[in-house]
Amino acid sequence: MTTDERTQTMPATEAFERLGSMSLSAESLESVLQAVADLTKQVLPGDVEASVSVLVADKPATFVHTGQLALDLDESQYGRGHGPCLQAAASGELVEVADARTESRWADYMRRAVELGSLSSLSVPLGSSEVLAAGLNIYARQPGAFDDDAVRRTAARFARFAGAAAANMHAYQHAREMADNLQVALQSRATIDQAKGILVERHRITPDQAFHLLARASMAANRKLRDVAEHLVATGELLASPQRR
């Protein structure tokens, strides 16, 4: 089968149903984006390869890819510091190359793309560059592979799904971190309250005075208040307790 004879192997509706059925709580961000790239390759007509480029602290990296061609083309742009995938990720705008042989932008990269066998490409941002500087890159071996508006719309839908998944995954992970931090804080509070209770009973003082004793011991021992409280609860000893005159 030649490149021109190759057609899409999966209907777009089936691909999006598969993506929609993925559970973000059971998947990693990498697995979700890899699924987007793989399904993009299967759905879009023509002989294409796909990747997802991400800018982290202004440093680009290919997060996932479907084949060596996509990885080589991404890294060729990274080495030069410019190209369609970097432009899309940084600007948040769709970037299309209709024919690499006649494209006037990024001339040195275009020569390399032709050498590697990619004659057209489409780089679609995953969302706002302020939220996530990333793009879905689709490389075709024939020119004009993305002339059809339906193809561009399908590619944009994949990118929107990837962007939404990345944003939701980030929100989910942030919520988990907040929950974990809250749990730690609650456990620390319980330990500190227990330590205060020991001091109140031992010295017949108020809870506020007990807290100040713990705080002074924390400063004197150069240890966290929680650590001082845990030590008192576990051993009955107050670390670096100031000597009374």
Side-chain angles (χ1 to χ4, degrees):
M1 179 181 293
T2 66
T3 295
D4 292 336
E5 291 171 340
R6 185 175 181 268
T7 58
Q8 65 187 63
T9 59
M10 179 186 296
T13 52
E14 180 181 343
F16 291 118
E17 285 176 2
R18 289 192 185 185
L19 291 175
S21 66
M22 296 181 72
S23 172
L24 294 183
S25 61
E27 300 283 348
S28 67
L29 179 57
E30 182 177 3
S31 67
V32 172
L33 295 182
Q34 185 66 60
V36 171
D38 290 340
L39 290 172
T40 297
K41 176 180 172 64
Q42 294 180 57
V43 167
L44 294 188
D47 193 4
V48 304
E49 300 291 349
S51 70
V52 173
S53 294
V54 179
L55 297 180
V56 179
D58 294 328
K59 293 183 178 180
T62 296
F63 206 57
V64 299
H65 59 88
T66 61
Q68 191 63 41
L69 177 63
L71 181 60
D72 288 345
L73 289 166
D74 283 355
E75 292 184 343
S76 180
Q77 295 173 68
Y78 303 158
R80 290 169 169 78
H82 59 243
C85 84
L86 295 178
Q87 178 73 18
S91 69
E93 299 176 354
L94 183 146
V95 179
E96 181 179 356
V97 174
D99 191 334
R101 297 168 300 185
T102 58
E103 175 62 60
S104 59
R105 297 170 294 179
W106 317 295
D108 55 339
Y109 162 71
M110 289 302 158
R111 287 192 294 270
R112 181 57 178 160
V114 173
E115 290 175 2
L116 291 173
S118 173
L119 298 185
S120 61
S121 66
L122 190 67
S123 294
V124 190
L126 299 193
S128 170
S129 59
E130 296 178 357
V131 177
L132 178 67
L136 172 65
N137 312 304
I138 311 165
Y139 301 102
R141 293 175 171 85
Q142 71 273 21
F146 310 102
D147 289 346
D148 190 336
D149 285 340
V151 172
R152 287 196 290 268
R153 287 196 298 270
T154 300
R157 285 188 65 189
F158 276 115
R160 285 197 298 272
F161 182 93
N168 288 340
M169 187 72 71
H170 176 75
Y172 173 76
Q173 291 173 345
H174 181 63
R176 284 293 302 272
E177 290 174 1
M178 288 185 63
D180 291 343
N181 291 337
L182 179 59
Q183 182 64 28
V184 170
L186 290 174
Q187 291 173 348
S188 298
R189 177 63 181 271
T191 302
I192 292 171
D193 285 344
Q194 190 175 356
K196 285 166 56 180
I198 293 173
L199 295 176
V200 166
E201 183 177 357
R202 178 180 299 173
H203 300 294
R204 298 295 188 267
I205 57 179
T206 67
D208 283 345
Q209 290 171 327
F211 180 81
H212 287 305
L213 268 182
L214 288 172
R216 288 166 57 191
S218 172
M219 293 179 62
N222 195 25
R223 300 277 296 275
K224 291 181 179 179
L225 183 65
R226 180 188 63 199
D227 294 340
V228 172
E230 288 177 348
H231 183 80
L232 175 60
V233 170
T235 68
E237 298 178 356
L238 185 60
L239 284 175
S241 180
Q243 295 182 354
R244 295 187 180 183
R245 296 181 179 180

